[in-house]
Amino acid sequence: FPGTKFVNLDFEVDYDNGKSFKNSAIALNALKASVTGSVPLARKVTHLLRRHRPAVLLSFWEPAFATLLNVVNSPTQLVAIASQGQIYNDPSSRERKSLLMRGLHQLCVGPRGTLVPLSVLPMQGAVPQIVKVPPRRDSEDYFVAYTTVPQVLSPIKKRFGTHRVKLFVKEKRLAYYTRKYKKYAHVEVLAASARFADELSRSRGLIASPSRGVVTQVCAGDCVGQARVPLLPSGAHRAGVQFALLPPTLRGRCVPDEPQVPPF
């Protein structure tokens, strides 16, 4: 992107602490991040708005920007693109009516913003998830595992003891999970990168929570014939919704929260 300027806002809510996945913990982390980083963030964003006066601010489900635009009474139009939009785009969804989801919509989109779903499936008014399409390859004797909350994949420690597993995690958590799986020789921990698509295309199957990226990669890579073991972190609304949206051929051979090793 020639001429593009990148600005580090240094503000992030970390929901992967390596121990648990709880909405209450995520809310607490968000509160801590707001208390410690909201003032520097507001100064940077306000300076950028005054200097460049953008007509549109593209956001990816960030709670700070809708609030900032309202506080400074900016004419900038907020457009939020997020997989959470799948929930709000479904009139029959119960999750969209919950106090939590209504509060998140107010924080991340606001009364003047526009929410555009980022979807793994065809959806009216949505942006499709685009991924790399790897070449066809012969299957090798290992599984690929990935989730944004790797603690839900703990069953691979023992239940997949007779299978090789390549576990992809966030780069900043690589050292942590390398130590955590050190005793389990069948698990190789790797940093999430473009290598994931190539490894998946050669694997026997995918072990993952139904996040939009890995699910779409499976579809794009024509991996429907491979084994799939979906794991759902309890309390994760978006993961549950995306699991429900999957066609039956991609739902794997187990039920949520009850991972089972496929009989090979």
Side-chain angles (χ1 to χ4, degrees):
F1 302 96
T4 301
K5 180 180 180 181
F6 292 91
V7 179
N8 182 10
L9 298 177
D10 194 24
F11 185 87
E12 181 181 7
V13 177
D14 189 3
Y15 55 85
D16 175 18
N17 61 8
K19 298 177 182 178
S20 63
F21 186 98
K22 296 179 180 178
N23 287 324
S24 58
I26 296 174
L28 181 60
N29 287 335
L31 179 61
K32 290 180 180 178
S34 299
V35 171
T36 59
S38 59
V39 173
L41 174 68
R43 287 175 177 172
K44 290 181 180 179
V45 174
T46 302
H47 173 73
L48 291 171
L49 290 174
R50 288 176 177 175
R51 181 177 180 181
H52 300 284
R53 299 185 180 276
V56 177
L57 175 62
L58 182 62
S59 174
F60 294 92
W61 203 248
E62 299 292 341
F65 298 115
T67 302
L68 283 172
L69 291 177
N70 288 332
V71 169
V72 301
N73 196 27
S74 173
T76 300
Q77 175 68 32
L78 176 70
V79 177
I81 299 180
S83 58
Q84 287 86 347
Q86 298 173 104
I87 300 174
Y88 299 100
N89 203 43
D90 181 6
S92 63
S93 172
R94 294 182 179 180
E95 286 82 3
R96 63 178 290 179
K97 301 176 183 178
S98 69
L99 180 62
L100 173 63
M101 298 307 294
R102 283 186 291 167
L104 286 173
H105 190 279
Q106 182 68 24
L107 286 172
C108 299
V109 183
R112 297 186 300 171
T114 300
L115 177 59
V116 179
L118 181 62
S119 180
V120 300
L121 296 175
M123 181 176 288
Q124 185 70 27
V127 174
Q129 174 78 15
I130 306 299
V131 295
K132 175 184 177 182
V133 180
R136 288 179 176 271
R137 292 172 176 170
D138 294 333
S139 177
E140 298 181 19
D141 191 20
Y142 67 86
F143 286 87
V144 167
Y146 177 81
T147 176
T148 52
V149 279
Q151 65 269 19
V152 306
L153 296 182
S154 57
I156 67 177
K157 295 177 181 177
K158 298 180 179 179
R159 298 195 183 191
F160 281 76
T162 58
H163 301 280
R164 276 204 307 146
V165 178
K166 296 187 178 184
L167 171 60
F168 285 83
V169 300
K170 291 182 178 180
E171 185 175 3
K172 68 177 181 179
R173 296 293 184 187
L174 180 62
Y176 173 85
Y177 286 106
T178 298
R179 293 193 303 270
K180 187 172 182 178
Y181 285 90
K182 186 177 181 180
K183 297 189 302 182
Y184 305 95
H186 66 289
V187 179
E188 179 183 1
V189 182
L190 303 167
S193 65
R195 179 180 173 185
F196 172 81
D198 296 325
E199 295 288 356
L200 177 61
S201 67
R202 299 197 305 265
S203 70
R204 294 183 64 183
L206 171 69
I207 309 166
S209 61
S211 62
R212 67 176 190 276
V214 293
V215 169
T216 313
Q217 189 65 66
V218 171
C219 296
D222 193 22
C223 303
V224 176
Q226 296 177 330
R228 290 162 301 285
V229 184
L231 305 177
L232 293 179
S234 61
H237 287 162
R238 181 174 56 165
V241 169
Q242 293 189 142
F243 180 81
L245 287 174
L246 296 180
T249 53
L250 290 178
R251 291 191 184 181
R253 302 180 183 179
C254 71
V255 296
D257 293 327
E258 291 293 335
Q260 301 174 0
V261 179
F264 291 107

